[in-house]
Amino acid sequence: MQPFFAERFGNASSIYSLGQDARQAVDQARQRCAAVLNARPSEIVFTSGGTESDNAALMGAAIALRERGNHIVTTRIEHHAVLNAAELLEKLGFDVTYVSPGRDGVVSPEAIEAALTPATSVVSVMLANNETGVIQPIAAITERVKRIATEQRRTIVMHTDAVQAAGYLSLDVDALGVDLLSLSAHKFNGPKGVGLLYMRRNTPFAPTQVGGAQERDRRAGTENTPGIVGMSVALEAADASREASAAKCLVLRDRLVAGITERIEDAHLNGHPTRRLPNNVNFTFARVEAEPLLMGLDLAGVAASSGSACTAASLEPSHVLIAMGNPVDQARSSLRLTPGPENTEEEVDYVVDTVAELVLRLRAMTGRSRRR
Ligand SMILES: Cc1ncc(COP(=O)(O)O)c(C=O)c1O
């Protein structure tokens, strides 16, 4: 990325040689990203990240198809980049059906099919959930959606938010069958503030960011050359090491789950036990609030998070855990641990020890240990 901040600073949309140098770098990056997705370079639209890609996917497809249908199907466990875009579309007159997952966090293809109406134009289901890591059966969902669209001779655009899956699952757009797919570079060790939207050829799309003719008129604005270059190299590297990283993380994840389950009573693993990303563990500990647990972990040098959005004053209950049928107090007190391939078994053991001690201490402080 470095040369594109300084000596190679040309604008990729300019005619002069410095601009053409940047253009070449952006084109190469587009080819690299397309290769990982098994897509054509022309089907890659660079964006400012996952949020923009999700917003553009939902709104761009819904608006383009509004004459043919104004119904959108999505799920209750999507990231807010999708949920809030769907809400905005509702305010603009679209109808949205929010499908619930099962207790295990999996959205069934049958439930998506049941939500389709003759007016459905867009379906958006994430590839892997950001809180629980639960992996959704996207290929099976797409297969049903497309079969119905073909039978009824209409268009239903299928989008998946693959932001959390990158680096751990295959992003082959033909195997997934999707028309639109969102990625965010910082989720696979790339720079922050850059992402992409894969857009299958001929997908109906009305651009929501308008102005210049960049990205073949699908996303206006001067290209973020250093970010795009950095993302493409990171995506290529993440994909090349995907299986090795997944295998390493799986060992660490299973060690974390086993250690926590063995050491802490009333610990509940949220989400399907195996149908989840290899780097995700999400626990609820009965009678323990997430906030002091997170603070204690931070003091001990462990960077963890709660599944829910933490503000200074309160911890919002997780919409994902609520959608999975958990009561609000449980949805407010989940702990999410995401080991990476660079972590070690010793670090995992340290985390298990630290979490176990903290849970014990917090329960003792609040007098909420279980009475036998
Ligand atoms: C599943 C999912 N979608 C979208 C986003 C938003 O991505 P960005 O922060 O790049 O806008 C995130 C970020 O955490 C995410 O986890």
Side-chain angles (χ1 to χ4, degrees):
M1 293 170 69
Q2 203 110 53
F4 297 98
F5 286 114
E7 65 268 23
R8 297 173 68 181
F9 61 85
N11 180 337
S13 299
S14 298
I15 297 289
Y16 50 77
S17 334
L18 262 177
Q20 288 309 300
D21 174 52
R23 160 64 44 206
Q24 241 179 23
V26 168
D27 286 346
Q28 270 173 17
R30 203 182 300 280
Q31 282 164 18
R32 276 202 200 100
C33 294
V36 171
L37 270 58
N38 189 23
R40 297 180 180 86
S42 58
E43 295 174 317
I44 305 296
V45 178
F46 292 123
T47 67
S48 65
T51 301
E52 185 191 325
S53 297
D54 285 345
N55 277 216
L58 257 78
M59 298 202 244
I63 292 170
L65 286 167
R66 71 188 180 288
E67 303 296 331
R68 287 190 257 171
N70 73 337
H71 180 238
I72 295 152
V73 173
T74 186
T75 81
R76 292 196 184 282
I77 58 166
E78 299 300 311
H79 189 274
H80 281 107
V82 165
L83 288 178
N84 291 359
E87 250 177 55
L88 185 56
L89 285 164
E90 278 188 280
K91 285 186 192 136
L92 295 174
F94 288 85
D95 295 326
V96 183
T97 300
Y98 299 90
V99 174
S100 293
R103 283 288 289 155
D104 58 4
V106 181
V107 175
S108 77
E110 292 78 14
I112 295 293
E113 182 172 346
L116 300 177
T117 76
T120 308
S121 57
V122 184
V123 174
S124 177
V125 182
M126 69 203 319
L127 184 49
N129 184 263
N130 45 306
E131 291 187 27
T132 61
V134 172
I135 299 166
Q136 304 302 336
I138 295 302
I141 290 173
T142 309
E143 200 267 325
R144 278 181 192 241
V145 168
K146 292 291 173 185
R147 180 165 43 74
I148 287 165
T150 308
E151 278 167 15
Q152 300 180 0
R153 297 188 190 182
R154 60 201 179 93
T155 305
I156 306 179
V157 170
M158 179 72 205
H159 168 247
T160 193
D161 173 342
V163 166
Q164 284 288 324
Y168 291 100
L169 301 182
S170 164
L171 300 175
D172 181 329
V173 289
D174 282 347
L176 294 167
V178 293
D179 302 304
L180 301 169
L181 177 145
S182 306
L183 287 184
S184 175
H186 69 103
K187 303 293 179 182
F188 45 86
N189 292 339
K192 290 165 185 65
V194 61
L196 67 81
L197 178 61
Y198 158 76
M199 201 179 291
R200 189 176 292 280
R201 194 153 61 162
N202 297 330
T203 299
F205 182 78
T208 48
Q209 181 158 317
V210 292
Q214 290 90 351
E215 301 298 291
R216 294 174 177 240
D217 280 323
R218 293 167 300 182
R219 196 272 190 182
T222 298
E223 299 84 348
N224 168 8
T225 308
I228 288 168
V229 168
M231 170 168 68
S232 71
V233 174
L235 185 59
E236 204 171 50
D239 193 59
S241 60
R242 179 163 59 83
E243 283 173 16
S245 298
K248 271 190 192 166
C249 286
L250 204 60
V251 172
L252 302 177
R253 181 195 80 182
D254 291 348
R255 196 179 176 93
L256 257 177
V257 173
I260 287 178
T261 314
E262 196 184 296
R263 294 275 301 278
I264 307 174
E265 65 175 23
D266 294 339
H268 172 71
L269 179 69
N270 294 307
H272 195 286
T274 52
R275 200 189 160 87
R276 65 195 299 142
L277 292 175
N279 67 334
N280 178 294
V281 166
N282 184 315
F283 270 102
T284 300
F285 304 108
R287 307 176 302 284
V288 173
E289 310 248 327
E291 211 169 341
L293 187 56
L294 289 178
M295 280 169 9
L297 282 168
D298 186 38
L299 285 175
V302 180
S305 64
S306 170
S308 47
C310 185
T311 63
S314 70
L315 215 52
E316 286 294 313
S318 149
H319 69 284
V320 175
L321 296 184
I322 287 180
M324 286 161 63
N326 294 290
V328 172
D329 60 330
Q330 273 182 39
R332 212 189 287 278
S333 60
S334 62
L335 174 70
R336 183 174 65 143
L337 298 163
T338 49
E342 64 284 352
N343 287 127
T344 63
E345 294 192 8
E346 291 70 41
E347 286 170 330
V348 165
D349 294 344
Y350 172 72
V351 171
V352 171
D353 285 345
T354 312
V355 174
E357 276 167 32
L358 278 166
V359 168
L360 212 65
R361 204 172 340 135
L362 289 167
R363 280 178 178 165
M365 271 166 63
T366 52
R368 291 167 87 189
S369 357
R370 193 167 62 172
R371 284 182 204 95
R372 290 174 186 277

